[in-house]
Amino acid sequence: MEIELKLALPTSDPATLEHRLARLPALLRRKASHLHLRNIYFDTPDQALRGQHVALRLRRVGRGARPVWLQTLKVGGASASALSRRGEWESVVPGADLSLAALQGTAWSSIDPDGSLFRSLAPVFVTSFERTNWTVRRRDRSSVEVSLDVGQIVANDKSMALCELELELLAGEPSALFDLALKIAHGIALLPQTRSKPERGYALAESSIHEPLRAQPPALSAKYSIVQAAQGVLREMFCQFTAGLVTLRYCDDPEVVHQARVGWRRFKSTCRLFRPALGANALPSFESLQALLAAIGKLRDLDVARLETLPQFASAYTAGHASREQAWQAMMRALAQAAEAQRNAVCKALEEPAVGATLLAITQWLEQLPATNTAEEVAGHPQPTLQRWARRRIARLHQQLKDQLQHIDTPAGQHRARILAKRLRYGIEAFKRLLAKRGSAHWYQQATDLQTSIGAQRDRAQAAVLVAQLGVQPELAEFLRGAACQIHP
């Protein structure tokens, strides 16, 4: 069983990483080893292995005339977490060809009982990187291998950079991985990496590597405990957030930023929903994330203004006037420049070690949830079933929204109603299979419509504020302030 913690390294200077890591107290005086690794991943034309969360690769170790070839089979490990647990079997093989004999006595016999899959295997993608290894042995007898990988993933005629840390547990408990990673995080910026190298290789091969990760609520069983449900739901939401943070480092698609922000809002809202059941198992402070979250929010506001809100008013303002057209285009260029500068600010914020340390602490908290007891269990009181608890919590949220609708005649009241509508929508999405279909569907649509209506008004107002800050022509600024007051643009 391979237990591993994967961490992306958001740095603009990967060439200095080895030196910086070697000087950290956690790795100081640890002897480093260096390897060049080239890995060829195989699958069938219909990606049968990928569909079963199986990876099969050939690894060439070294660059000399007589390299060592290793064949590795990995099974399982598909989860929305930087911490993975996978079955792993590795054998030395004669050369650069797959060996069926080396798969004897592994899980392959149940994956491919008649050998048909093996006969149709072909290379899909390649990873090639320089690996620096440190082995850290601790007084509690735990042992962790720290691997810095810098190189690239290649699929067909496409490639992408590879820069990450892998912490593999050699002996001891998984907590040793987090203890060491947190020590590293105090000196080096890092991000939880929820996608393995094979997952990224497949995505690169099918040209989907830059696609934003959208909400994918896990299927909850009514047999789950509340804490088990909390782990599954919150893990998926946090994964949406952190995957977006990793992707926006090398992709400027505004939807990536949007989905990352949605992931955080879903996570924060659902943490609040579960809070009474989690009792003393408090979420780690995310105070260190505030600057990053504010920077992401500002970037999203600029993207919405220039791509969604303002274009609908262009023809009404320009009306065929050349001078107005010039003023409008100048405004749009200024917004694009502001968005680019803000995107750089977000990437810079990701290079703050405190950000990665906080994200790592949240990851550890999520992984430890099933082993903890709720407040009710500690007090000796039986818990309600998950289904009963979920229905009760969603009904309470709906009632709060109903009450707030009596007080939406002010901007503050509208803002509060919009927040409650989001929380209700996220909650219904998370517990969809446990709720009564008719009632929850009606509440969901009500929350969505309310969020959209109030959100459109807020976006118009925010766009007018952003444009005014750019110092555009007074006539244009005044026009947009008037547009912001419209109920229907």
Side-chain angles (χ1 to χ4, degrees):
M1 179 64 68
E2 176 192 64
I3 303 178
E4 189 173 74
L5 184 61
K6 302 182 295 297
L7 305 167
L9 297 170
T11 178
S12 55
D13 189 13
T16 65
L17 277 172
E18 180 183 343
H19 178 67
R20 291 165 59 199
L21 283 163
R23 295 183 64 185
L24 295 177
L27 299 178
L28 194 62
R29 295 188 296 274
R30 312 280 181 181
K31 185 178 180 180
S33 61
H34 300 83
L35 297 169
H36 174 76
L37 303 178
R38 185 174 187 272
N39 306 283
I40 308 168
Y41 287 82
F42 294 82
D43 207 337
T44 63
D46 61 351
Q47 297 186 354
L49 299 189
R50 183 188 189 186
Q52 298 181 63
H53 306 300
V54 173
L56 180 62
R57 75 174 183 224
L58 278 175
R59 165 171 287 178
R60 186 186 69 189
V61 182
R63 296 178 181 271
R66 295 184 178 181
V68 175
W69 288 91
L70 302 174
Q71 180 174 291
T72 305
L73 173 68
K74 296 190 179 186
V75 177
S79 68
S81 175
L83 183 70
S84 64
R85 295 175 172 85
R86 295 173 293 191
E88 180 183 45
W89 295 264
E90 188 167 78
S91 303
V92 176
V93 292
D97 295 310
L98 289 175
S99 168
L100 183 59
L103 293 171
Q104 300 301 315
T106 72
W108 187 261
S109 58
S110 59
I111 297 168
D112 183 26
D114 61 0
S116 58
L117 289 184
F118 187 86
R119 290 189 293 272
S120 61
L121 291 173
V124 182
F125 56 89
V126 172
T127 64
S128 180
F129 51 88
E130 301 297 326
R131 167 167 285 183
T132 305
N133 283 333
W134 296 267
T135 300
V136 179
R137 296 180 177 86
R138 309 193 325 163
R139 292 180 180 178
D140 63 1
R141 297 187 178 181
S142 64
S143 180
V144 176
E145 182 178 74
V146 179
S147 299
L148 168 64
D149 295 339
V150 179
Q152 62 180 348
I153 302 174
V154 180
N156 303 321
D157 58 346
K158 300 179 288 290
S159 66
M160 69 173 295
L162 185 64
C163 184
E164 64 188 33
L165 272 183
E166 291 183 351
L167 277 66
E168 182 176 352
L169 187 67
L170 303 180
E173 297 298 321
S175 59
L177 296 175
F178 286 101
D179 291 344
L180 180 55
L182 283 168
K183 290 178 181 177
I184 294 173
H186 289 303
I188 297 288
L190 52 81
L191 297 172
Q193 173 64 273
T194 56
R195 291 206 293 181
S196 65
K197 290 185 183 74
E199 288 173 314
R200 281 171 278 162
Y202 280 114
L204 182 64
E206 61 189 19
S207 300
S208 63
I209 191 66
H210 293 158
E211 288 186 4
L213 182 60
R214 303 176 189 278
Q216 300 174 346
L220 295 178
S221 167
K223 296 180 180 179
Y224 285 2
S225 71
I226 297 174
V227 178
Q228 286 174 321
Q231 187 198 42
V233 169
L234 293 174
R235 182 192 270 167
E236 180 271 330
M237 294 172 174
F238 190 63
C239 172
Q240 184 187 13
F241 175 56
T242 56
L245 297 183
V246 172
T247 302
L248 68 82
R249 292 271 315 165
Y250 54 85
C251 173
D252 59 3
D253 182 356
E255 189 63 19
V256 172
V257 175
H258 175 50
Q259 291 301 324
R261 194 165 181 239
V262 168
W264 176 256
R265 289 184 166 184
R266 293 173 67 226
F267 177 77
K268 186 178 177 182
S269 172
T270 310
C271 279
R272 183 169 181 169
L273 192 67
F274 275 109
R275 188 182 300 163
L278 294 178
N281 306 312
L283 177 70
S285 170
F286 46 82
E287 182 65 28
S288 297
L289 300 182
Q290 293 307 317
L292 170 66
L293 295 170
I296 291 174
K298 185 175 181 180
L299 175 57
R300 178 58 184 163
D301 286 342
L302 285 164
D303 285 341
V304 170
R306 67 189 181 91
L307 299 175
E308 300 176 20
T309 304
L310 293 178
Q312 60 189 312
F313 297 109
S315 60
Y317 177 74
T318 59
H321 296 278
S323 60
R324 289 188 176 186
E325 178 67 30
Q326 290 177 355
W328 188 272
Q329 293 303 324
M331 176 191 69
M332 296 304 291
R333 286 194 297 271
L335 280 168
Q337 291 170 359
E340 181 62 24
Q342 189 59 32
R343 181 176 296 279
N344 292 336
V346 170
C347 291
K348 192 68 177 176
L350 290 173
E351 295 184 17
E352 290 294 326
V355 168
T358 300
L359 297 174
L360 191 58
I362 295 173
T363 301
Q364 183 177 22
W365 175 77
L366 284 169
E367 293 305 315
Q368 292 176 342
L369 272 182
T372 59
N373 294 319
T374 64
E376 290 85 349
E377 288 172 330
V378 171
H381 300 296
Q383 279 191 282
T385 64
L386 175 61
Q387 185 174 56
R388 182 180 177 185
W389 180 88
R391 291 185 176 187
R392 189 170 62 195
R393 294 295 291 166
I394 296 302
R396 184 172 181 270
L397 261 180
H398 179 254
Q399 186 59 51
Q400 289 177 332
L401 178 59
K402 269 183 73 175
D403 294 343
Q404 184 60 38
L405 291 179
Q406 306 303 314
H407 308 282
I408 59 170
D409 52 348
T410 65
Q414 291 176 3
H415 177 71
R416 173 64 178 163
R418 183 170 178 244
I419 295 299
L420 285 170
K422 284 185 178 182
R423 290 177 56 200
L424 178 60
R425 185 166 66 85
Y426 297 153
I428 292 174
E429 288 173 351
F431 300 120
K432 184 176 181 180
R433 297 194 178 190
L434 303 175
L435 305 176
K437 291 184 179 179
R438 181 176 299 179
S440 62
H442 174 69
W443 292 354
Y444 185 83
Q445 191 61 52
Q446 180 188 34
T448 301
D449 292 345
L450 185 63
Q451 180 186 340
T452 301
S453 174
I454 298 177
Q457 295 179 45
R458 184 263 182 197
D459 291 342
R460 291 193 293 273
Q462 186 63 30
V465 170
L466 291 172
V467 167
Q469 293 172 347
L470 295 175
V472 300
Q473 291 184 0
E475 179 187 9
L476 177 51
E478 190 63 30
F479 169 81
L480 292 175
R481 278 195 294 271
C485 298
Q486 295 182 21
I487 297 177
H488 299 291

